Amino acid sequence: MLAVIFLLASLIGFAVHLFLGREPRTRARTVELLLLYLLVINIGVGLLLAWYGHTFMADEIARKIGWQPGSPFQFEVALADLSWGVCGVLCIWLRQGFWTATGIGSAVFLLGCAFGHLWDISTHGNLAVYNAGPVLWIGDLAVPIAILVLLFLRYRFGERDDPESDPRRRVAPSAGGAS
């Protein structure tokens, strides 16, 4: 259920920001804002909450996934969640290649988690809610795929945080004409 809430929060925040923001609503701006909200809310906040669950509620989370409680895998998964969650939140302040690295890295992690869940479903018939529910379909599949598509579109439309493609950040030539 939290995967649904985070996705809705991202979409609502994106829409409000896009329509109430002062900048023109271009394709590049639309892609940038949607990517920002997915990175910060779904990756940042979502994975920080996953870190909390895998760290402080490990046995309960394992049972909800349909796995055996007490396994040390919980702490390792928690640290990966923490790492990507911190990167997602840092996307508020760090731009340029940081968004690309955070998006690709977290997508690889989450798509790998999706593969593990799908494998568990197909080999063991594990249909536990945290294994076969919204966490899988939204958090581990839809969001990382959307992030990868948005990163591609951002590259295609020209990265706004690249000083060469954003005229507001270009350095004016010197007055004397000499470089």
Side-chain angles (χ1 to χ4, degrees):
M1 183 58 151
L2 286 175
V4 174
I5 292 169
F6 287 133
L7 181 58
L8 288 174
S10 293
L11 295 175
I12 291 168
F14 153 73
V16 168
H17 195 149
L18 181 66
F19 290 104
L20 296 181
R22 295 181 182 167
E23 292 193 36
R25 290 187 291 268
T26 63
R27 288 184 306 180
R29 178 71 175 157
T30 301
V31 166
E32 178 183 88
L33 282 178
L34 183 53
L35 180 60
L36 173 64
Y37 278 85
L38 289 175
L39 287 171
V40 172
I41 295 175
N42 290 86
I43 302 302
V45 177
L47 288 178
L48 287 176
L49 188 61
W51 162 77
Y52 178 85
H54 283 293
T55 302
F56 300 107
M57 302 164 38
D59 289 346
E60 179 183 343
I61 296 299
R63 279 189 284 280
K64 287 183 177 183
I65 297 172
W67 292 349
Q68 196 69 288
S71 172
F73 85 88
Q74 290 280 44
F75 186 67
E76 293 179 14
V77 170
L79 292 177
D81 289 335
L82 176 62
S83 299
W84 291 117
V86 167
C87 288
V89 170
L90 287 175
C91 287
I92 295 170
W93 300 282
L94 302 175
R95 304 285 171 118
Q96 296 170 327
F98 192 80
W99 282 17
T100 303
T102 299
I104 292 172
S106 64
V108 168
F109 169 63
L110 292 171
L111 291 170
C113 291
F115 177 82
H117 291 299
L118 290 169
W119 180 266
D120 198 28
I121 291 167
S122 68
T123 58
H124 300 106
N126 181 358
L127 298 176
V129 67
Y130 280 23
N131 195 61
V135 170
L136 168 62
W137 301 108
I138 294 173
D140 290 350
L141 284 171
V143 168
I145 290 170
I147 286 172
L148 292 175
V149 168
L150 290 167
L151 283 170
F152 171 77
L153 291 174
R154 186 171 184 245
Y155 172 77
R156 179 105 161 83
F157 296 148
E159 289 190 43
R160 293 176 48 81
D161 49 33
D162 176 1
E164 295 302 314
S165 67
D166 189 348
R168 296 171 300 156
R169 296 186 184 169
R170 285 193 188 131
V171 177
S174 62
S179 303

